């Protein structure tokens, strides 16, 4: 097994986005794909990560604040504005896209070298290829804890004895259903809908009552006499918050409380998708659960669970939404839990490859037999001129003024105009309320922090920072841990190569133990783990232990005291394998002429009966189609990096792509 160091690598073309296994990709496209507006408009929301530490650039709950910090009136106005945005009624900023230069922004971004990614495990010659020229070239299927790969292959709705009867489905006319749906979704100013009971009988009225409550959860009904005629009047029992808590609505006791379904999505990250679903269903996002987050620029298939929403209502969304499909419905007793998955199965197409068949064979055999260094990928560290690990380091140093400055100060590179103005206002006045007024969208971290500073004042920066959702705050310190880990692993491989040595760490169960001299031959590099710094880990018993200490000391941190006076920011640490060997690795090289054609079928293609693509023996271009499975919290881009021997940073790929386009 041979180890090589990263030097200048030729890459003729590169894409602008990278992908992570159950993590958050920060890259934003120049244009967001729109969903159909047959129901409600949507916006971004907070994002939780599948397995900490994880991703960055995460947006949290909306908020706004007026001038006059700490006053009762300003707090009241703040709560009103927060409530309005949470209801999805103030989404104006989400669809705004300015014509900024992504390439200019990335001139100030990070490279792999900046975050300690420097080594390769194999000696094969690299070659160029286009990573994610189309988001459909990157498909992720979740692997559940039982080893089953999630596929969308059934759109039917399960029928149980508690499902609405045929009478309940037909008793209302199409016009009545439309009026009730508009009432349910607050799409007009009506406060109630009255339905005349034709052929009045008690049985008929009962069926209408049941139909409205079953088909339009959140609506209550009553019977009224009007001028000698019977009417069933539907209304919102709890006003605008009627659907906030589905536990309030009737649900058959014999049916599991959670509807599990497979979500197929294109070009949306998981929490974006859940945000869309929750707005269309008029419920809070926190009634959804999932095992792992999937990134945006891909087609992903994963299992989702939702509390007390029927499969019928979910299936109806297939008529409303573009780039989403829901299916494989079932009712279960329990929700899903983060991390309860074996991993993800990837299908990746690298287009316009330059490698010979022999080079491809050597590279893929190496990936299959040896694997790749389990670096944290570039999306862990942010895309802007201020890396997330720098913010994390300042938090751990208890340097709160620096934390505020790093997040809010003007920065190099292109940004949305309103963010530039906000930063300039902050630098000029140090007035959080004034800077906040420059933001039309306050869901971003900058808006949340300014709102906190307006509320708590500059002398209570810890509380101000605390207004940012917890997962988003922890993302910064997890980014710093990842930065240290990457650098230390590169040093470990440089010092000792790709073989276990005495003093290395391996896991026995969940406990880390040292490799002793006499046991070295019992282990391989695939067994070796390295610690993320924290108060509950041990460090290797060789030179790398001192390297950890030196790195943290240089950052004014005490490796022997990783407890923070604020409990949330105390790092317990963790262990991570140094080298990962993907499972179920297969590949083929295909020839094609049209760069826009898909090179394999998706689940939706198969549902629609589309025949698989047929490839010619020769073509204008060649593509490498790869399939492999990875455990949670590993980065597919690091596997692809090992194959191509290229820098996967957005900065590098953007510059190369820009040069190629000229």
């Amino acid at each position: 097994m041979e180890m090589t160091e990263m030097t200048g690598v030729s890459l003729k073309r590169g894409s602008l986005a990278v992908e992570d296994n159950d993590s958050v990709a920060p890259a934003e496209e120049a244009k967001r794909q729109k969903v159909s507006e047959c129901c409600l408009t949507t916006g971004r929301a907070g994002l939780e990560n599948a397995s900490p530490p994880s991703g960055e650039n995460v947006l949290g709950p909306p908020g706004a604040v007026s001038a006059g910090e700490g006053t009762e009136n300003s707090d009241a106005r703040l709560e009103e504005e927060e409530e309005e945005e949470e209801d999805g009624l103030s989404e104006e900023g989400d669809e705004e896209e300015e014509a900024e230069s992504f390439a200019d922004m990335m001139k100030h971004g990070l490279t792999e070298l900046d975050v300690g990614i420097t080594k390769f495990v194999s000696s094969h010659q690299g070659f160029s290829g286009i990573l994610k020229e189309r988001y459909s070239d990157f498909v992720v299927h979740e692997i559940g804890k039982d080893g089953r790969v999630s596929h969308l292959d059934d759109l039917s709705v399960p029928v149980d004895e508690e499902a609405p009867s045929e009478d309940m489905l037909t008793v209302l006319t199409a016009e009545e259903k439309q009026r009730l749906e508009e009432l349910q979704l607050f799409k007009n100013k009506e406060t109630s809908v009255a339905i005349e009971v034709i052929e009045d009988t008690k049985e008929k009225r009962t069926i209408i009552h049941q139909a409205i409550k079953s088909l339009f959860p959140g609506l209550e009904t009553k019977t009224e006499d009007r001028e000698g005629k019977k009417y069933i009047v539907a209304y919102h029992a709890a006003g605008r918050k009627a659907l906030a808590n589905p536990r309030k609505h009737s649900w058959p006791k014999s049916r599991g409380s959670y509807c599990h379904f497979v979500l197929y999505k294109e070009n949306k990250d998981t929490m974006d998708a859940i945000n869309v679903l929750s707005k269309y269903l008029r419920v809070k996002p926190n009634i959804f659960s999932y095992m792992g987050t999937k990134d945006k620029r891909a087609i992903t298939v994963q299992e989702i669970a939702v509390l007390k929403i029927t499969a019928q209502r979910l299936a109806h969304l297939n008529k409303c939404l573009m780039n989403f499909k829901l299916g494989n419905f079932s009712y279960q007793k329990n929700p899903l839990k983060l991390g309860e998955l074996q991993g993800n199965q990837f299908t990746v197409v690298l287009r316009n490859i330059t490698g010979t068949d022999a080079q491809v064979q050597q590279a893929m055999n190496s990936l299959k037999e040896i694997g790749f260094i389990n670096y944290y990928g570039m999306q862990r560290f942010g895309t802007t001129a201020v890396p997330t690990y720098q913010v994390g380091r300042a938090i751990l140093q208890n340097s709160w003024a620096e934390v505020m400055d790093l997040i809010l100060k003007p920065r190099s590179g292109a940004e949305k105009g309103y963010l530039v103005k906000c930063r300039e206002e902050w630098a000029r006045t140090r007035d959080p309320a004034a800077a906040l007024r420059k933001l039309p969208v306050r869901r971003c971290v900058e808006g949340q922090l300014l709102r906190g500073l307006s509320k708590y004042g500059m002398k209570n920066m810890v509380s101000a920072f605390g207004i940012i959702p917890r997962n988003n705050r922890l993302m910064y310190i997890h980014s710093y841990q990842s930065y240290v880990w990457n650098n230390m692993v590169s040093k470990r491989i440089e010092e000792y190569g790709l073989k276990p040595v005495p003093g290395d760490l391996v896991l026995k169960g969940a406990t880390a133990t040292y490799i002793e001299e006499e046991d070295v031959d019992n282990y391989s590099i695939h067994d070796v783990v390295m610690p993320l710094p924290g108060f509950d880990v041990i460090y290797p018993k060789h030179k790398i232990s001192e390297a950890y200490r030196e790195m943290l000391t240089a950052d004014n941190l005490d490796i022997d005291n990783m407890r923070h006076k604020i409990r949330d920011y105390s790092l317990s640490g963790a262990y991570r394998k140094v080298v990962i060997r993907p499972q179920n690795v297969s590949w083929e090289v295909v020839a094609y002429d049209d760069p826009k054609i898909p090179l394999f079928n998706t689940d939706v293609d198969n549902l629609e009966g589309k025949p698989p693509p047929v490839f010619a023996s020769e073509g204008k271009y060649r593509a490498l189609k790869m399939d492999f499975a990875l455990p949670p919290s590993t980065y597919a881009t690091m596997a692809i990096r090992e194959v191509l021997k290229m820098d996967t940073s957005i900065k590098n790929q953007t510059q190369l792509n820009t040069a190629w386009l000229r």
Side-chain angles (χ1 to χ4, degrees):
M1 193 185 299
E2 195 170 341
M3 177 270 297
T4 59
E5 185 161 0
M6 182 172 181
T7 54
V9 178
S10 169
L11 176 66
K12 292 181 180 176
R13 301 185 187 179
S15 81
L16 306 185
V18 291
E19 194 83 20
D20 164 22
N21 188 4
D22 291 330
S23 186
V24 184
E28 289 293 335
E29 294 184 305
K31 291 184 179 179
R32 294 174 64 89
Q33 287 210 337
K34 306 253 179 125
V35 298
S36 162
E37 295 182 354
C38 74
C39 298
L40 290 176
T41 55
T42 63
R44 288 184 64 94
L47 177 55
E48 296 182 358
N49 301 311
S51 43
S54 191
E56 47 278 327
N57 224 32
V58 188
L59 304 175
V65 71
S66 56
E69 64 188 55
T71 67
E72 188 175 329
N73 286 342
S74 85
D75 282 351
R77 285 194 295 271
L78 165 63
E79 288 171 7
E80 286 172 7
E81 291 179 13
E82 280 183 312
E83 186 174 289
E84 185 183 41
E85 275 205 76
E86 281 187 0
D87 277 344
L89 304 174
S90 297
E91 305 289 349
E92 73 280 356
D94 228 29
E95 300 302 333
E96 289 182 11
E97 290 295 344
E98 300 185 7
E100 70 244 12
S101 167
F102 192 78
D104 285 345
M105 183 192 299
M106 287 302 103
K107 287 178 184 176
H108 304 276
L110 296 169
T111 65
E112 289 184 347
L113 185 64
D114 295 327
V115 294
I117 301 173
T118 60
K119 304 293 182 184
F120 295 97
V121 301
S122 60
S123 57
H124 73 266
Q125 182 181 347
F127 52 91
S128 75
I130 308 175
L131 171 59
K132 284 207 261 187
E133 181 180 42
R134 300 159 56 86
Y135 66 77
S136 55
D137 285 348
F138 204 105
V139 176
V140 187
H141 290 269
E142 189 172 71
I143 305 172
K145 60 183 178 182
D146 58 357
R148 182 176 52 84
V149 179
S150 289
H151 281 281
L152 182 77
D153 52 21
D154 183 4
L155 300 182
S156 65
V157 174
V159 177
D160 59 22
E161 57 272 11
E162 303 289 352
S165 66
E166 185 66 26
D167 285 343
M168 288 167 59
L169 294 174
T170 57
V171 71
L172 299 170
T173 67
E175 181 187 355
E176 288 167 346
K177 287 179 181 178
Q178 182 177 348
R179 290 178 62 206
L180 288 164
E181 182 178 3
E182 289 174 351
L183 174 67
Q184 181 197 37
L185 299 177
F186 300 103
K187 295 181 87 175
N188 56 36
K189 295 181 179 179
E190 286 188 274
T191 57
S192 64
V193 169
I195 295 171
E196 184 181 355
V197 183
I198 309 297
E199 302 173 4
D200 177 34
T201 64
K202 184 177 180 181
E203 291 75 15
K204 182 74 173 287
R205 293 197 302 271
T206 300
I207 291 172
I208 296 175
H209 282 294
Q210 291 174 340
I212 293 172
K213 291 178 181 179
S214 173
L215 300 177
F216 303 96
L219 298 184
E220 292 294 334
T221 58
K222 60 185 177 182
T223 304
E224 287 186 1
D225 282 307
R226 296 182 181 179
E227 298 177 354
K229 296 180 180 179
K230 294 279 190 184
Y231 287 85
I232 306 296
V233 179
Y235 60 98
H236 279 287
R240 302 197 67 81
K241 297 296 182 181
L243 292 179
N245 186 354
R247 295 176 182 84
K248 293 178 182 177
H249 311 310
S250 59
W251 188 265
K253 292 180 180 179
S254 61
R255 180 194 288 165
S257 293
Y258 294 87
C259 185
H260 287 228
F261 61 95
V262 169
L263 172 65
Y264 169 103
K265 62 182 179 62
E266 299 179 356
N267 209 31
K268 282 276 183 189
D269 68 42
T270 299
M271 270 311 303
D272 267 343
I274 285 176
N275 213 37
V276 170
L277 298 179
S278 64
K279 294 265 171 46
Y280 277 56
L281 293 167
R282 203 71 194 179
V283 297
K284 296 293 184 184
N286 63 7
I287 71 169
F288 290 87
S289 58
Y290 45 88
M291 294 183 288
T293 59
K294 306 291 180 275
D295 288 344
K296 177 181 178 180
R297 192 167 170 76
I299 290 174
T300 69
V301 183
Q302 69 182 114
E303 190 171 350
I304 304 286
V306 61
L307 176 63
K308 294 185 178 178
I309 299 292
T310 64
Q312 272 185 317
R313 289 186 67 195
L314 293 167
H316 178 71
L317 296 180
N318 287 331
K319 301 174 184 177
C320 297
L321 299 173
M322 294 171 58
N323 304 331
F324 291 87
K325 271 286 191 258
L326 288 66
N328 296 79
F329 303 102
S330 65
Y331 293 108
Q332 309 287 342
K333 291 181 180 179
N334 299 310
L336 296 169
K337 293 182 180 178
L338 278 173
E340 282 193 344
L341 72 167
Q342 281 192 17
N344 293 284
Q345 179 75 32
F346 293 86
T347 301
V348 178
V349 168
L350 303 175
R351 292 181 183 250
N352 199 21
I353 59 169
T354 60
T356 64
D357 287 348
Q359 284 177 311
V360 171
Q361 185 81 5
Q362 186 182 6
M364 292 305 298
N365 276 330
S366 173
L367 183 68
K368 183 176 182 178
E369 294 165 12
I370 303 172
F372 61 97
I373 301 169
N374 194 21
Y375 287 124
Y376 287 97
M378 296 303 299
Q379 57 269 53
R380 174 76 80 170
F381 306 104
T383 58
T384 68
V386 178
T388 50
Y389 73 80
Q390 290 183 6
V391 180
R393 179 169 56 202
I395 294 169
L396 294 173
Q397 292 168 344
N398 224 27
S399 302
W400 292 102
E402 184 181 357
V403 172
M404 305 298 116
D405 196 45
L406 285 169
I407 295 174
L408 296 175
K409 71 180 181 180
R411 54 186 63 177
S412 304
E415 279 195 304
K416 293 184 186 299
Y418 58 75
L419 262 179
V420 173
K421 291 174 183 175
C422 170
R423 296 187 192 285
E424 289 173 349
E425 183 69 25
W426 169 256
R428 186 173 60 82
T429 66
R430 284 299 210 237
D431 182 342
L436 191 63
R437 284 195 290 271
K438 301 291 184 182
L439 285 180
V441 181
R442 282 133 182 204
R443 295 183 170 207
C444 56
V445 168
E446 292 84 355
Q448 292 165 350
L449 181 55
L450 289 168
R451 184 161 57 87
L453 290 169
S454 295
K455 184 173 183 178
Y456 294 106
M458 295 295 291
K459 292 182 179 179
N460 194 351
M461 288 185 280
V462 173
S463 294
F465 184 69
I467 208 167
I468 297 171
R470 181 176 183 270
N471 278 358
N472 303 4
R473 288 181 275 123
L474 296 185
M475 165 267 295
Y476 291 114
I477 56 175
H478 292 158
S479 177
Y480 178 73
Q481 284 181 301
S482 306
Y483 170 71
V484 172
W485 194 91
N486 279 0
N487 278 279
M488 292 300 99
V489 164
S490 291
K491 283 186 180 293
R492 158 65 182 77
I493 292 174
E494 182 176 351
E495 189 69 34
Y496 299 112
L498 291 167
K499 61 183 187 301
V501 297
D504 271 336
L505 294 169
V506 292
L507 289 178
K508 291 186 177 178
T511 305
T513 61
Y514 295 108
I515 297 179
E516 303 297 340
E517 182 82 47
E518 60 271 19
D519 295 327
V520 166
D521 293 339
N522 296 330
Y523 298 102
S524 76
I525 192 64
H526 300 99
D527 300 311
V528 176
V529 297
M530 292 270 284
L532 287 92
F535 60 78
D536 198 25
V537 295
I538 58 175
Y539 295 88
K541 279 185 178 176
H542 47 52
K543 290 181 181 179
I544 305 307
S545 179
E546 190 56 34
Y548 271 97
R549 185 174 297 275
E550 289 173 359
M551 185 171 185
L552 268 69
T553 300
D555 286 339
N556 294 316
L557 295 171
D558 182 358
I559 197 171
D560 298 316
N561 182 18
M562 297 301 289
R563 293 187 186 274
H564 198 281
K565 67 180 184 180
I566 299 170
R567 185 177 178 183
D568 268 358
Y569 309 137
S570 290
L571 295 178
S572 60
Y575 299 98
R576 182 175 174 88
K577 286 198 170 184
V578 171
V579 173
I580 289 289
R581 185 161 42 201
Q583 301 298 306
N584 306 324
V585 179
S586 64
W587 67 92
E588 64 175 324
V589 175
V590 299
Y592 64 103
D593 291 315
D594 183 353
K596 295 181 180 179
I597 63 165
L599 299 182
F600 60 89
N601 271 8
T602 65
D603 283 358
V604 168
D605 292 332
N606 293 332
L607 274 170
E608 294 174 351
K610 290 184 180 178
V614 177
F615 303 108
S617 56
E618 293 185 5
K620 192 174 179 181
Y621 309 106
R622 292 162 67 245
L624 171 59
K625 178 175 172 284
M626 311 162 57
D627 285 277
F628 54 89
L630 295 176
S633 196
T634 53
Y635 287 71
T637 42
M638 294 295 99
I640 295 164
R641 168 186 181 269
E642 185 68 40
V643 170
L644 295 180
K645 292 285 184 77
M646 72 177 189
D647 184 333
T648 60
S649 68
I650 301 174
K651 175 178 180 177
N652 181 63
Q653 295 193 30
T654 303
Q655 290 172 345
L656 291 164
N657 210 42
T658 304
W660 173 75
L661 289 170
R662 285 182 183 138

